[in-house]
Amino acid sequence: MPAPAIGPDGGGCFRPCADATVLTREENERLTIVGPHTPGGELLRRYWQPAALSEELPPGGAPLPVRLLCEDLVLFRDEHGQPGLLGIHCAHRGADLSYGRVEDAGLRCIYHGWLYDIHGRCLEQPGEPAGSTFHERVRHLAYPCQEVGGLILAYLGPGTPPLVPAYEFLQAPVERRFNTKIYQECSYLQANEGNTDSVHVPFLHRVAGRWGPSPSSATRRIEMVMEPEETEFGVRVLRMEPRTDDTVQTNIGNFIMPNLSAIPAGRRDGYEAVWHVPIDDESHWKYAVQFNRSQPMDREREGDHRAEMTADYRLLRNRANRYLQDREEMKGQAFAGLGNCFQTQDACATEGQGAIQDRTQEHLGSTDRAILLIRTMLLRAIGDVQAGREAPHVVRDPAANHFPNLLVWTERVPASTDWRAHLRAKIAACEAQVDPG
Ligand code: FES
Ligand SMILES: [Fe+2]
């Protein structure tokens, strides 16, 4: 994929209009097909991925069936509290291990009693003759897990797992973070692209009192400037939007390889991390972690969108009920008529693009440069993995497991401020490990 080229006016198509498609069908498939042994799936498997929230697997609780990257697995905690992720079908005759018994330092199949530990070792085969060593020759599919920051992460790739990146949001203690996840009926990629597509915010998410005087005025021009740049971890986006009171809103948001975003979401004392994890090619879990660096979390406020979800992390307003869009609300209350919940608004927009968006039919504008840069990086990384090279932002050196240049920022400054220089100074302070605030 060539580097993005912008027309002389800074807008319009990124490729000659005779060839207005942005991705080829093959490129789109490389990015969105994620099963085992696919190019896109092989890239995602080079990184730790969330398999569940910790709260889904309480100590002493039932095993949890998990579909992750098109693989059917079962997550359980052994009697020591250690999480294990195994192939869901028993190595004996294929029974579903999520119905198994958690006992005797492992997970025991209810069909004939075979017992597995978290490493996939078969510890017992009670139907075999006494003294049989058959169990020693059975090795069940098992993936390494680590529990950090309220998430259970798994590594589905080959070889020695890399380090779990020491992101700030994974270090926050429970009182300073709020974790949830939301089911999304679409490819992980298009939802993640929405995180760097900031120009949608004052449209899709506009409700009365948020982003301007009234939803009906949202069709005014949005004078937002977005400047993406490549970094070691992914893509940083500097953003500026003028406000009506002689100030400008500035932001720094980040795409982190290969399916994570770190965005301000209106926070100064922390940020929101959004991890879009494929269930399969056409659905994913959106894991969201909000955290504070210093203040305890207001759990009631942070959790209020859970009121819009079922206990199994599905949105009450969803594709099946057309998100309960309200045309009356659109006249004065909410631009999209989808209520007040960001999650519902985003789901309507990204699921509406189709299970896998056909990116051969897009017409990208100047505000889509970050999306193009992300796709370029992902396609290059897929090529690296296919060629046997290490994927970018895979961390193996403990001394390199910190990310001072990964700054998430939001600040309103006077319009006379050189906002680029202002944000660059914040990044430089962060890199020098000085508090940028
Ligand atoms: S199928 Fe699991 S023990 Fe036989
Ligand atoms: Fe959004």
Side-chain angles (χ1 to χ4, degrees), residues 225 227 229 236-241 248-253 407-413 417-431 436:
V225 179
E227 298 189 352
E229 56 194 21
R236 173 192 294 133
V237 185
L238 308 185
R239 196 186 75 170
M240 183 279 292
E241 186 186 355
V248 296
Q249 183 67 45
T250 64
N251 280 313
I252 301 174
L407 175 65
V408 186
W409 192 259
T410 183
E411 186 180 8
R412 186 90 67 102
V413 297
T417 307
D418 180 341
W419 65 272
R420 289 182 187 82
H422 183 74
L423 292 180
R424 294 260 166 243
K426 300 295 178 190
I427 295 166
C430 195
E431 285 175 330

Side-chain angles (χ1 to χ4, degrees), residues 112-115 122-128 132-136 138:
H112 314 96
W114 287 24
L115 177 70
C122 184
L123 304 178
E124 292 178 11
Q125 295 165 327
E128 292 295 305
S132 167
T133 58
F134 178 32
H135 69 97
E136 294 172 8
V138 172

